Amino acid sequence: MLQRLASSAALLGCLPAVSSLSSLRLGGPPTLPGTASHFLHPALGSFSIETAFFETFLGNSSSPNNLSRSLFENLKARTGVPPEVRIGGITADSTYWDPNLDVSSFNFVDKDGVLHNTTIGPGFWDSVKLLPEGTKITINLDLNDLNYTGALEVATSALRGLPRDQLDLFEIGNEPDHYLSFTPRNYSEIWATWAQNISSTLNLQTPRFQIGATVDDPLWPYNTPSANRQLDCVNVFASGVDLGNTVRSCSEHTYQYSVCDPPRIAVATLPNLVNHTRLAMYLDLWQPRINAVRDRLGPHSFVIGEYNSVSCSGRDGVSNTFGQSLWLVDTTLYAASLNVSRMFIHQGGPLALQSSSQLNHGGLSFYDLWYPVQNLNGPIKVFPSYSAYLFLAEALGTSKTLRIANIYPGRQANGSTITPALGDESAGGLVAYGFWDDSATTGARFPTKLALLNLQLYNQTQTGIRPSTTIDISAFKQDPNSEVKIRRLQAPGADVREGDVTRWAGQVFSSGQAVGRLAEERITGGSIVVPDSEAALVFLT
């Protein structure tokens, strides 16, 4: 599978530059394609928040962070279901429980700014309760210390501190493929024993664990000795990780780019990020794992439990731009089209000595969707990326029977995305997704919504008329003369770093609340103009 894709991996370094296409006609048929996803999870756009920074984002019971609370509530209001939240990350592997702690959490930071560990107390769970009512929580437990008692103490405190219907899953370890020289076999032996013992001790009646949380990219080709030695969900299943029937789902992490070291810093650029071909060639590597896990555990069992654009806390001028907002929409929708159930975008701050040669030190991460507090990297603010989650939430709506498929550039028979050499004239610049709703009157015959993304870069510093592409959607309209509704994700350019000039449906959310009049276009034709570096959500019914 994906042989053509993998053999053309060199395209990642030499994609051709193309001028902005002025027109694109989307071809039918309008019926639900065989490549369409399962029913989309209403919490498709979810969050991972670094344990050591959780209180920074949500505050505590005596001083809640109202900006964060409003931004979360905005998303719940559009789907009826709040985003899920995974509390974890690298600091989860050095987080300890103290029942006598008189503050919610405490980070031990030495004189050089190195965060060594985090201690949480009873008040920490009161901070978690500040999330919207109904938020499902995944708790990441420490594996790196090989201290079962410590992991059990945190798990016990979570079970006692949170409502049972809110605490959803436990993870044991964060990115264990990066420490203790784990193999699939010895990881499975330790993990399975811990999961069974915690389940028994806490009287957990159903599978309540999520395996994996690994971060290394899948090796190509598959089914080689090297690939089969990777620590990933499929290989640990083969090693007996679920003999105790404790596993409900699998999580793996994705960071397409990185600033952890100089060679990767050089390619973590905005033009490289905002390109569908690069993105699809990257996520396509996970297709065999996604399929294998779903075959074993069910349709919503594979999640990307931590991801963002650039690891080691993002890159200024890349991860905090409107370009990242467009990338975020494309990443989430493309992953959904591959049957990834939920995407947990990571929030936190640079961790000193995470890498000896990393670009970032101190403050909050450049890839965060907002800064809940003033910090070394800037004041309290909402970044353009937050509006991408509004776009996604409204694309999902309140339906529980929505499916998605990539309709341009389309899919090959082997599952991979069409590359420039195979017919995508925009070289990764234009993308279209369709949404079909089984509960709608059109059913599988016609989509109810389209997401149109013009990723062809336009920066606010450019002069002259902003290029655009006219996209003909006629093939997907049930009635050629029917009216369609359009809401747009817009900013002055891909390089914009401010939420107060980023608009979703005409409104800005830089204060946490919608400001401005809702802007919604209505047209009766089949042609929709989408300027470069803009996205449109089209409601067909």
Side-chain angles (χ1 to χ4, degrees):
M1 183 178 182
L2 307 180
Q3 185 171 5
R4 182 186 298 272
L5 180 68
S7 65
S8 61
L11 282 170
L12 290 177
C14 57
L15 289 176
V18 294
S19 59
S20 177
L21 292 181
S22 61
S23 64
L24 174 68
R25 182 180 180 86
L26 298 181
T31 51
L32 181 77
T35 57
S37 71
H38 60 235
F39 294 145
L40 297 181
H41 197 289
L44 171 64
S46 287
F47 289 84
S48 168
I49 303 178
E50 192 72 49
T51 308
F53 292 91
F54 186 85
E55 190 179 352
T56 302
F57 274 83
L58 271 298
N60 53 52
S61 57
S62 60
S63 182
N65 190 289
N66 291 322
L67 174 63
S68 291
R69 298 184 74 188
S70 294
L71 294 172
F72 277 111
E73 290 286 357
N74 290 339
L75 301 174
K76 178 183 177 181
R78 285 161 169 78
T79 62
V81 176
E84 296 186 6
V85 174
R86 175 240 191 187
I87 302 173
I90 193 171
T91 59
D93 271 314
S94 56
T95 292
Y96 313 115
W97 168 251
D98 181 352
N100 300 312
L101 193 68
D102 58 1
V103 293
S104 297
S105 61
F106 174 76
N107 292 328
F108 172 57
V109 181
D110 68 18
K111 60 182 178 60
D112 297 319
V114 178
L115 193 160
H116 288 270
N117 56 62
T118 298
T119 304
I120 61 173
F124 184 81
W125 305 116
D126 293 330
S127 293
V128 178
K129 292 173 186 175
L130 295 172
L131 289 163
E133 183 178 357
T135 301
K136 297 292 186 183
I137 302 295
T138 296
I139 300 297
N140 194 185
L141 306 175
D142 172 20
L143 176 62
N144 188 39
D145 288 326
L146 292 181
N147 180 357
Y148 169 76
T149 301
L152 177 62
E153 287 175 346
V154 173
T156 303
S157 73
L159 197 65
R160 292 174 177 171
L162 294 175
R164 286 215 170 213
D165 61 350
Q166 184 176 25
L167 179 57
D168 193 37
L169 290 168
F170 291 110
E171 276 185 351
I172 302 173
N174 174 75
E175 299 176 1
D177 46 346
H178 279 194
Y179 55 76
L180 296 179
S181 301
F182 276 125
T183 65
R185 181 167 298 279
N186 62 23
Y187 167 88
S188 296
E189 290 171 350
I190 295 170
W191 193 99
T193 301
W194 285 27
Q196 290 177 67
N197 288 345
I198 291 172
S199 296
S200 176
T201 302
L202 301 183
N203 194 29
L204 303 178
Q205 299 300 316
T206 58
R208 295 287 291 276
F209 284 84
Q210 184 162 272
I211 57 166
T214 51
V215 71
D216 285 343
D217 297 346
L219 292 176
W220 174 264
Y222 305 105
N223 297 323
T224 64
S226 294
N228 292 335
R229 285 193 298 269
Q230 277 198 286
L231 191 66
D232 63 62
C233 291
V234 175
N235 289 339
V236 299
F237 271 131
S239 297
V241 76
D242 197 26
L243 292 178
N245 192 33
T246 58
V247 179
R248 188 196 302 170
S249 55
C250 156
S251 164
E252 297 194 10
H253 299 174
T254 62
Y255 287 90
Q256 190 176 351
Y257 295 96
S258 179
V259 289
C260 294
D261 50 70
R264 288 185 289 176
I265 291 171
V267 296
T269 65
L270 195 58
N272 284 350
L273 181 71
V274 190
N275 181 278
H276 177 76
T277 300
R278 287 176 173 269
L279 162 68
M281 292 174 74
Y282 178 66
L283 288 183
D284 277 345
L285 294 172
W286 273 265
Q287 285 199 49
R289 293 184 184 176
I290 295 167
N291 295 336
V293 169
R294 292 180 70 243
D295 286 345
R296 184 180 184 107
L297 297 178
H300 285 295
S301 57
F302 190 96
V303 306
I304 292 180
E306 180 184 321
Y307 81 105
N308 217 303
S309 56
V310 180
S311 67
C312 281
S313 292
R315 185 169 191 178
D316 189 17
V318 177
S319 304
N320 51 1
T321 67
F322 184 69
Q324 161 127 338
S325 186
L326 297 170
W327 170 87
L328 184 53
V329 171
D330 194 23
T331 293
T332 307
L333 295 182
Y334 189 71
S337 79
L338 299 180
N339 283 315
V340 175
S341 174
R342 278 144 292 163
M343 299 281 289
F344 292 75
I345 191 163
H346 199 53
Q347 310 290 280
L351 297 164
L353 303 183
Q354 182 177 357
S355 162
S356 61
S357 56
Q358 68 190 48
L359 188 63
N360 300 316
H361 299 272
L364 291 175
S365 297
F366 290 110
Y367 56 44
D368 291 343
L369 270 58
W370 66 88
Y371 284 166
V373 298
Q374 184 168 342
N375 66 97
L376 291 175
N377 289 326
I380 296 171
K381 68 184 294 185
V382 177
F383 289 100
S385 290
Y386 174 73
S387 292
Y389 259 35
L390 295 172
F391 182 109
L392 293 166
E394 293 197 25
L396 291 168
T398 57
S399 174
K400 303 297 187 295
T401 56
L402 202 65
R403 304 180 189 222
I404 188 173
N406 179 258
I407 57 178
Y408 186 86
R411 307 296 288 273
Q412 297 179 65
N414 69 356
S416 68
T417 291
I418 295 175
T419 65
L422 296 170
D424 176 11
E425 297 177 56
S426 74
L430 299 175
V431 195
Y433 296 94
F435 299 86
W436 285 258
D437 193 341
D438 281 11
S439 65
T441 56
T442 53
R445 295 178 295 116
F446 287 89
T448 57
K449 299 171 187 171
L450 298 173
L452 308 178
L453 282 60
N454 187 339
L455 307 181
Q456 298 172 123
L457 280 185
Y458 179 84
N459 291 326
Q460 62 180 334
T461 53
Q462 291 178 228
T463 59
I465 298 173
R466 186 171 185 164
S468 63
T469 300
T470 300
I471 301 178
D472 188 339
I473 65 167
S474 300
F476 293 89
K477 293 182 65 179
Q478 184 176 18
D479 179 355
N481 299 314
S482 64
E483 185 177 73
V484 302
K485 188 171 65 177
I486 305 167
R487 293 186 176 184
R488 296 181 184 269
L489 182 61
Q490 300 170 301
D495 54 344
V496 163
R497 306 184 201 189
E498 304 301 325
D500 58 4
V501 294
T502 299
R503 297 183 180 275
W504 164 243
Q507 298 177 316
V508 298
F509 291 81
S510 53
S511 66
Q513 305 291 335
V515 175
R517 179 177 295 181
L518 181 72
E520 191 173 83
E521 302 166 42
R522 294 177 183 269
I523 66 168
T524 54
S527 296
I528 298 175
V529 177
V530 185
D532 286 7
S533 295
E534 187 170 302
L537 183 61
V538 182
F539 298 79
L540 298 171
T541 59

